[in-house]
Amino acid sequence: MSDHVAERFSFSIAATDGKARTGTIHMQRGDIRTPAFMPVGTAATVKAMKPETVRATGADIILGNTYHLMLRPGAERVARLGGLHKFMNWDRPILTDSGGYQVMSLSELTKLTEDGVEFQSHLDGSRHMLTPERSMEIQRLLGSDIVMAFDECTKNGATRDEALASMERSMRWAKRSRDGFDSGKDHAAKAALFGIQQGSLDKEIRAASAEALIEIGFDGYAIGGLAVGEGQEAMFDVLDYAPG
């Protein structure tokens, strides 16, 4: 790993026990101790808590959401106000979800195509197009430290054919996310991009997804499409083999 990459993003392992491990992600805005509990600040706030109170709990990183911030107050507005860190008075790392989860959770308000997803706002009914490129642009405007690739979160109960088609679309979007992220050179020089594995509960499809993501190349890799109603036992089964 080059000195430049190590300064921007690196990961060190402190201890292991079987498949379990503890470690630290190193980023310009601070270290993230892992495993980490990441408080959810979907709309630029952790509800009912001040930023300093969130930090006092030991949190090293918080999460914001591309889709919700795109609608309100708007990524361009956040950028004009100095970025998400200043907007919410949080000077440590922020991870932004790409909006891919909302492709599934708000499916009744979306129209999915190869290009991306058209959302009908749950706030006022207005229509917004979210593509891999636009997701990267929004996360760049927000000033995210860990950017998530735009993907399709496969619904629980999908058939094997549906899971395969969904995964393959997500991998095409992953490549477009990679290219879109890299085009924002100033942001890419200090942020990290994570790819997201999909494949529902199918081991072979998840293996193919992992191979595709590694071929594209990301700073980190997330296991997506879990905790969507499959049950704890099934989720644990996937977690046993997905990182393999």
Side-chain angles (χ1 to χ4, degrees), residues 67 70-71 99-113 116-122 125-130 150-153 173:
Y67 166 78
M70 170 186 76
L71 296 182
Y101 178 78
Q102 280 70 37
V103 178
M104 183 272 296
S105 66
L106 299 176
S107 58
E108 71 279 3
L109 299 174
T110 66
K111 179 182 179 182
L112 187 150
T113 66
V117 182
E118 184 182 51
F119 288 90
Q120 182 179 1
S121 170
H122 66 286
S126 60
R127 294 192 174 276
H128 303 263
M129 189 67 185
L130 192 56
F150 187 62
D151 66 333
E152 178 188 351
C153 182
W173 287 356

Side-chain angles (χ1 to χ4, degrees), residues 65-83:
N65 183 269
T66 292
Y67 166 78
H68 290 282
L69 291 169
M70 170 186 76
L71 296 182
R72 187 174 58 188
E76 283 76 11
R77 178 174 293 175
V78 172
R80 290 195 300 270
L81 293 171

Side-chain angles (χ1 to χ4, degrees), residues 167-197:
M167 181 278 286
E168 290 177 340
R169 181 182 296 110
S170 285
M171 296 308 98
R172 294 190 293 271
W173 287 356
K175 178 61 169 65
R176 289 168 56 189
S177 294
R178 175 82 264 180
D179 293 343
F181 177 83
D182 290 341
S183 70
K185 295 182 179 179
D186 290 344
H187 182 227
K190 55 189 176 183
L193 178 65
F194 277 41
I196 305 176
Q197 182 198 60

Side-chain angles (χ1 to χ4, degrees), residues 17-37:
D17 182 7
K19 292 184 178 181
R21 66 187 185 185
T22 62
T24 304
I25 295 172
H26 308 279
M27 301 196 75
Q28 291 183 4
R29 281 196 172 94
D31 290 346
I32 305 163
R33 296 163 292 175
T34 67
F37 175 76

Side-chain angles (χ1 to χ4, degrees), residues 79-92:
R80 290 195 300 270
L81 293 171
L84 190 56
H85 293 81
K86 183 178 180 180
F87 184 78
M88 62 188 304
N89 192 29
W90 177 264
D91 62 0
R92 297 189 62 80

